[in-house]
Amino acid sequence: MEIKAGPLLSKIESPDDLKKLNRDQLFQVCDELRQYIIDVVSVYGGHFGASLGVTELTVALHYVYNTPYDQLVWDVGHQAYGHKILTGRRDKFITNRKYKGLSGFSEKK
C-alpha cells in the first residue's frame, strides 16, 4: 500500500524547505503531517499519540530555529515522528521501528 504525503508536505525535505512557506501555509503542513503520521502508523504500526500532540510544536520549532545547528530534544522517540518526516526521512518513515529501518528512538542526525 502506497501512502502519499499531502501537496505541501511532499515538497519538504528539510527545515529549509519549510522556511520557504508563509505562515498561513504552516497550518496546512500541520494538517498534512498529522494525517501522514496517522496513515503510516495505522498500516505499519507504531505509537502516534505523542507525535500528534506535538505536531504544531514540531513545525514551529523547525520553522523558527536553525535546525540541525540548534538542537532539539524530545521526551520520547514517539514525539520525534514529525521531526523525522520534516528532516528528510519522510520516504523511509514506513520503516520506522522495523529491522534495518529508522530507529524508533531519537538519534542525532
Side-chain angles (χ1 to χ4, degrees):
M1 172 178 208
E2 183 179 358
I3 298 172
K4 293 188 177 194
L8 286 179
L9 186 60
S10 65
K11 296 177 183 173
I12 298 172
E13 296 297 330
S14 74
D16 289 337
D17 295 329
L18 185 65
K19 291 174 182 163
K20 294 175 187 173
L21 303 176
N22 66 54
R23 288 185 176 181
D24 292 333
Q25 291 175 301
L26 298 181
F27 293 104
Q28 182 178 339
V29 170
C30 290
D31 290 343
E32 291 178 16
L33 181 59
R34 185 177 293 104
Q35 189 61 53
Y36 187 73
I37 291 169
I38 291 169
D39 291 346
V40 170
V41 171
S42 67
V43 173
Y44 295 99
H47 303 278
F48 59 85
S51 276
L52 298 181
V54 295
T55 301
E56 287 82 5
L57 176 63
T58 303
V59 170
L61 288 171
H62 281 295
Y63 191 77
V64 172
Y65 288 102
N66 182 21
T67 56
Y69 178 78
D70 296 325
Q71 296 184 9
L72 305 176
V73 178
W74 303 100
D75 266 354
V76 293
H78 314 319
Q79 288 179 333
Y81 287 4
H83 165 75
K84 291 176 183 184
I85 294 165
L86 294 174
T87 56
R89 294 171 273 180
R90 181 188 62 249
D91 293 339
K92 294 180 183 176
F93 187 63
I94 62 171
T95 69
N96 193 48
R97 302 181 66 217
K98 304 288 186 229
Y99 179 67
K100 294 191 177 186
L102 291 179
S103 174
F105 300 97
S106 301
E107 295 179 326
K108 188 174 181 180
K109 294 273 180 187

